[in-house]
């Protein structure tokens, strides 16, 4: 069939070229935004007297019919159509006759596709914000339920200082809160209407871009028509926000994989979120966490792909930009899929607090506290640090730990040691005394938890 744009050419392209050029297999998911945008456009054309009120009404009714038929699955996108914009216009004209041909007055597919994508991503961002909210609630519940479990905190993956498991989990909630902020910022900048920029230079018709933007819930209009049709920053910002979010999910997944190993055994995942091995009968593999970690790479790839597509494009629209959609849709689908598995999986975590504590008891995790003990008795920190280090070396040599080294041996290193040192270096004291704001003490974590719960209650997402 000849194209709607047949004119200069007969509009009869090669079949392979057609398939290559067509975007309907991925852009038809924006049908709702496309039709809603067209309804607003018809309203604006009518209100401005560019078409008659009756014509506007006919267009609107026709478009509404197409929308409900598509929603009910009575009308399916034609895989042979060039894109969703052409498809809707073609069906409209088939259904209501020549008035349908007036819809595309004072617009172009260039501003239309930019409009549709902004609306689509704006809607999808709201869904991701909701999913992040559920994730943060799940994690704060997990922290609250296991508030006092002590685990080793690590630097360089070496046991460093004892921390509360709840403190560790809440660190991730902070990351996800920033992800929420980033997405909200992105949506703010995204929510500017490009419709009316037309092909690139604006239009000779007396349009009202602000009215159309308002009908569609935008907070403003693109100020420069060339920019309006060629800007894909909103996709890149969205992809960046998703890439950072995936990085956070991936780091957490890595810890879940580590913690579920026999080497750590800090947590147990529910059977529903693990798999077995086809050969090794003893296996319980954390596949879901591994896959979330693995899928992070695709989202980074989507961001890199679009950054690269955009870097050499002259103004204004170029067909290269059709590639934007597959990148953002893939990232979007991936993130949604990951969140939909990660959140319930996190909700099933059983904390094996005895194992965590046992791990925290080895590895001289309280050596800093031993040094701090001497500092509180008047020794400069650097000297106290040296003495503690020598005591650790002695313990390793004698096969002892700080808790079992006799006081008489401590006295060989400093007369400042007395019986109370054993209390000071007990795990509970090490944790309880780190009461600086944001620290790991029971009270500080309780405070963090309270603040997070309030923040989550106030979050409109
Ligand atoms: N399918 C196209 C895209 O996704 C729509 C815009 C086409 N514009 C054009 N001048 N060919 O970018």
């Amino acid at each position: 069939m000849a194209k709607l744009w047949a004119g200069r050419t007969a509009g009869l392209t090669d079949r392979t070229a057609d398939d290559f050029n067509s975007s309907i297999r991925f852009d038809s998911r924006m049908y709702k935004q496309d039709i809603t945008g067209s309804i607003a456009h018809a309203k604006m054309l009518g209100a401005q007297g560019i078409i008659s009120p009756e014509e506007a009404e006919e267009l609107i009714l026709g478009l509404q019919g197409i929308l409900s038929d598509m929603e009910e699955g009575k009308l399916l996108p034609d895989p042979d159509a060039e894109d969703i914009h052409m498809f809707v216009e073609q069906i409209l004209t088939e259904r209501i006759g020549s008035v349908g041909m007036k819809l595309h007055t004072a617009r172009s597919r260039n501003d239309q596709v930019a409009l549709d994508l902004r609306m689509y991503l704006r809607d999808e961002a709201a869904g991701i914000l909701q999913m992040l909210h559920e994730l943060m609630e799940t994690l704060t519940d997990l922290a609250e339920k296991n508030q006092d479990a002590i685990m080793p905190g690590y630097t360089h993956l070496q046991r460093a200082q004892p921390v509360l498991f709840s403190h560790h989990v809440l660190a991730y909630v902070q990351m996800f809160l920033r992800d929420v902020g980033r997405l909200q910022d992105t949506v703010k900048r995204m929510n500017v209407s490009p419709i009316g920029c037309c092909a690139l230079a604006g239009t000779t018709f007396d349009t009202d871009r602000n009215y159309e933007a308002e009908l569609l819930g935008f907070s403003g209009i693109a100020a420069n028509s060339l920019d309006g049709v060629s800007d894909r920053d909103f996709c890149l910002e969205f992809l960046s926000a998703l890439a950072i979010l995936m990085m956070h999910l991936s780091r957490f997944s890595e810890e879940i994989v580590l913690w579920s190993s026999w080497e750590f055994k800090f947590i147990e995942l529910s059977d529903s979120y693990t798999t077995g091995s086809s050969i090794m009968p003893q296996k319980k593999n954390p596949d879901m966490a591994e896959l979330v970690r693995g899928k992070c790479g695709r989202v980074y790839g989507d961001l890199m792909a679009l950054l690269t597509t955009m870097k050499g494009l002259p103004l204004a629209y170029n067909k290269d930009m059709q590639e934007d959609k597959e990148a953002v849709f893939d990232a979007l689908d991936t993130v949604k899929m990951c969140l939909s598995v990660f959140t319930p999986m996190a909700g099933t975590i059983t904390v094996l607090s005895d194992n965590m504590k046992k791990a925290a008891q080895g590895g001289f995790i309280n050596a800093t506290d031993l040094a701090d003990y001497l500092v509180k008795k008047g020794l400069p920190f650097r000297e106290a640090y040296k003495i503690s280090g020598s005591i650790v070396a002695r313990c390793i040599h004698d096969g002892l730990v700080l808790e079992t080294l006799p006081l008489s041996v401590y006295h060989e290193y400093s007369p400042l040691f007395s019986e109370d040192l054993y209390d000071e270096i007990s795990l509970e004291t090490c944790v309880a005394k780190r009461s600086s704001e944001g620290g790991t003490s029971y009270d500080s974590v309780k405070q963090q938890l309270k603040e997070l719960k309030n923040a989550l209650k106030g979050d409109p997402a």
Side-chain angles (χ1 to χ4, degrees), residues 136-147 165-166 169-170 252 259 267 345-351 449:
M136 291 189 292
E137 271 178 351
T138 302
L139 295 179
T140 45
D141 282 354
L142 180 68
E144 193 168 31
K145 267 191 226 129
N146 300 280
Q147 217 166 314
F165 169 78
S166 48
V169 169
L170 293 184
F252 203 166
W259 293 346
I267 60 166
M345 174 183 72
T348 71
I349 288 177
T350 303
V351 173
L449 197 55

Side-chain angles (χ1 to χ4, degrees), residues 11-81:
L12 296 165
T13 35
D14 171 78
R15 176 83 224 178
T16 319
D18 256 358
D19 288 345
F20 183 63
N21 196 40
S22 166
S23 53
I24 194 143
R25 69 184 180 283
F26 48 84
D27 66 18
S28 59
R29 65 159 87 188
M30 304 191 300
Y31 76 88
K32 202 168 153 192
Q33 288 75 15
D34 191 75
I35 298 172
T36 310
S38 288
I39 290 174
H41 191 64
K43 270 191 194 154
M44 186 281 292
L45 291 176
Q48 292 296 104
I50 299 169
I51 58 176
S52 72
E54 296 75 32
E55 288 170 332
E57 197 50 35
E58 264 187 82
L59 289 174
I60 293 165
L61 286 176
L63 287 163
Q64 282 168 343
I66 295 176
L67 181 58
S68 57
D69 285 354
M70 288 192 83
E71 274 177 340
E72 286 164 32
K74 285 192 212 148
L75 174 65
L76 297 175
D78 173 5
D80 289 334

Side-chain angles (χ1 to χ4, degrees), residues 437-451:
E437 267 179 69
T440 207
S441 76
Y442 302 101
D443 288 344
S444 300
V445 172
K446 202 170 276 167
Q447 183 61 23
Q448 283 183 58
L449 197 55
K450 198 171 118 196
E451 282 165 16

Side-chain angles (χ1 to χ4, degrees), residues 26-298:
F26 48 84
D27 66 18
S28 59
R29 65 159 87 188
M30 304 191 300
Y31 76 88
K32 202 168 153 192
Q33 288 75 15
D34 191 75
I35 298 172
T36 310
S38 288
I39 290 174
H41 191 64
K43 270 191 194 154
M44 186 281 292
L45 291 176
Q48 292 296 104
I50 299 169
I51 58 176
S52 72
E54 296 75 32
E55 288 170 332
E57 197 50 35
E58 264 187 82
L59 289 174
I60 293 165
L61 286 176
L63 287 163
Q64 282 168 343
I66 295 176
L67 181 58
S68 57
D69 285 354
M70 288 192 83
E71 274 177 340
E72 286 164 32
K74 285 192 212 148
L75 174 65
L76 297 175
D78 173 5
D80 289 334
E82 188 173 320
D83 54 32
I84 187 64
H85 326 294
M86 291 305 220
F87 171 72
V88 171
E89 194 182 327
Q90 184 120 27
I91 298 292
L92 182 68
T93 306
E94 273 169 28
R95 289 189 176 184
I96 67 169
S98 61
V99 184
M101 294 191 211
K102 295 203 170 186
L103 175 65
H104 212 51
T105 313
R107 76 169 184 188
S108 146
R109 267 188 298 161
N110 299 349
D111 54 346
Q112 193 181 352
V113 72
L115 175 80
D116 293 2
L117 195 49
R118 281 174 190 263
M119 286 168 66
Y120 184 83
L121 295 185
R122 180 178 76 174
D123 294 348
E124 288 290 338
I128 294 186
L129 286 171
Q130 183 56 41
M131 292 179 97
L132 276 173
H133 197 260
E134 281 157 26
L135 172 60
M136 291 189 292
E137 271 178 351
T138 302
L139 295 179
T140 45
D141 282 354
L142 180 68
E144 193 168 31
K145 267 191 226 129
N146 300 280
Q147 217 166 314
D148 297 343
I150 295 176
M151 65 178 267
Y154 297 85
T155 62
H156 312 266
L157 202 57
Q158 303 286 318
R159 289 171 190 165
Q161 291 174 349
V163 295
L164 290 181
F165 169 78
S166 48
H167 190 208
H168 195 112
V169 169
L170 293 184
Y172 282 100
V173 178
Q174 297 291 343
M175 297 176 221
F176 295 127
L177 263 184
R178 290 194 296 276
D179 289 324
V180 165
R182 255 183 294 276
L183 271 169
Q184 286 170 336
D185 286 349
T186 302
V187 170
K188 237 179 263 162
R189 267 183 299 279
M190 182 187 286
N191 201 26
V192 165
S193 168
I195 198 73
C197 292
C198 302
L200 74 166
T203 180
T204 54
F205 290 99
D206 179 25
T207 51
D208 186 345
R209 290 188 56 205
N210 282 300
Y211 172 60
E212 200 166 337
E214 215 173 278
L215 287 177
L216 295 170
F218 284 97
S219 59
I221 60 169
N224 179 309
S225 64
L226 289 165
D227 181 46
V229 289
S230 61
D231 163 34
R232 290 296 181 272
D233 293 5
F234 68 98
C235 297
L236 292 167
E237 279 192 44
F238 187 68
L239 283 169
S240 308
L242 294 189
I244 297 174
L245 160 56
M246 280 304 293
M247 178 271 290
H248 290 150
L249 282 176
S250 181
R251 289 183 78 176
F252 203 166
S253 296
E254 164 65 9
E255 301 217 84
I256 289 173
V257 172
L258 280 176
W259 293 346
S260 337
S261 69
W262 281 106
E263 283 70 14
F264 279 79
K265 266 281 164 257
F266 285 1
I267 60 166
E268 177 93 32
L269 290 173
S270 133
D271 292 357
S272 330
Y273 294 96
T274 55
T275 62
S277 154
S278 58
I279 170 171
M280 297 166 281
Q282 83 285 12
K283 290 297 232 75
K284 178 171 171 181
N285 295 327
D287 287 34
M288 309 310 139
E290 293 168 73
L291 261 180
V292 170
R293 188 179 58 186
K295 283 181 188 292
C296 182
R298 308 169 64 118

